[in-house]
Amino acid sequence: ADIVVHSSTKFLGGHGATLSGIVVDGSTFDWAANADRYPQLADAETRWGERRAFEQYVRFNQLYDFGATLSPFNAFLLQQGLETLSLRLERHAANAHELALWLAEQPGVESVDYAGLPGGRDFELAQRLYGGRSGSVFSVTVEGGLEGARTFIDHLCVFSRMTNIGDTRSLAIHPGTTTHVNFTPERRAALGIHDGLVRLSVGIESVEDLRADLA
Ligand SMILES: *Cc1c(COP(=O)(O)O)cnc(C)c1O
């Protein structure tokens, strides 16, 4: 990748308290050689026409001219989150792993989409790329379609009903009626977003409390 655009709103901040993002430019892309696609970055009469063109553009155009700058307080929140990132991620991943494997064995559960599930489609890939830790956002499809999903979510007490992911607190949402409500039913089906599918973002609470809540 020449450029990585990353949301620090999620795990980096970790507490659902600040909106922010990061642009990492490796200064490896040859803008001048691709002037037909990026004329504003390859313009030889400006200072943009070099490998750092994109970084300069983001700094001087987006930040300096338009003011898309993180406020000091939001930067402070993000910095505090970063200090516990490694600790939090260990617990996020361990909790999710235990819950996903447990959920897959429960009556009333049709399927669990979690890359760390042995025998699953992406298991080998996840082992190789993530060393056995497969993140803490996954989905579970419960029996009973929309009504089944509604009953499941309505009975959760520890999990909050929330759109965010990567929060220290566990969150649940029904994509079919929220994030993906504007998709046609055919498109949702093609994407594997079944009526009974619930997305979970597993937090860092006691895994016993989380298991009891899901049960
Ligand atoms: C991710 C997310 C956003 C957007 O944050 P970005 O940093 O732009 O990705 C906004 N609201 C909610 C609820 C989110 O989960």
Side-chain angles (χ1 to χ4, degrees), residues 12-106:
L12 292 187
H15 300 75
T18 182
L19 284 166
S20 56
I22 298 170
V23 178
V24 182
D25 178 11
S27 300
T28 48
F29 191 78
D30 191 347
W31 302 99
N34 292 276
D36 54 328
R37 287 157 68 203
Y38 307 100
Q40 80 277 29
L41 292 177
D43 183 353
E45 290 182 12
T46 68
R47 64 169 171 276
W48 309 129
E50 34 162 306
R51 291 295 169 107
R52 288 179 60 192
F54 187 71
E55 180 213 319
Q56 301 284 315
Y57 175 77
V58 169
R59 280 186 196 278
F60 293 107
N61 185 298
Q62 299 301 305
L63 297 187
Y64 186 93
D65 291 346
F66 285 105
T69 310
L70 200 57
S71 83
F73 186 64
N74 283 34
F76 164 76
L77 292 173
L78 181 57
Q79 190 175 30
Q80 277 209 321
L82 276 170
E83 289 172 11
T84 56
L85 179 66
S86 62
L87 273 178
R88 284 186 287 110
L89 260 290
E90 298 280 349
R91 178 72 168 247
H92 275 297
N95 278 359
H97 187 79
E98 192 164 333
L99 293 176
L101 268 56
W102 174 80
L103 272 171
E105 301 292 317
Q106 299 312 302

Side-chain angles (χ1 to χ4, degrees), residues 131-145:
R133 291 181 291 188
S134 303
S136 70
V137 179
F138 66 91
S139 54
V140 53
T141 299
V142 297
E143 284 174 3

Side-chain angles (χ1 to χ4, degrees), residues 172-195:
I173 194 169
H174 184 256
T177 51
T178 56
T179 54
H180 294 71
V181 70
N182 289 329
F183 289 45
T184 62
E186 294 75 29
R187 182 94 182 106
R188 280 201 297 271
L191 291 169
I193 302 171
H194 314 294
D195 287 344

Side-chain angles (χ1 to χ4, degrees), residues 160-172:
S160 302
R161 196 179 315 195
M162 197 66 68
T163 323
N164 194 25
I165 58 171
D167 197 298
T168 51
R169 295 147 292 196
S170 291
L171 314 174

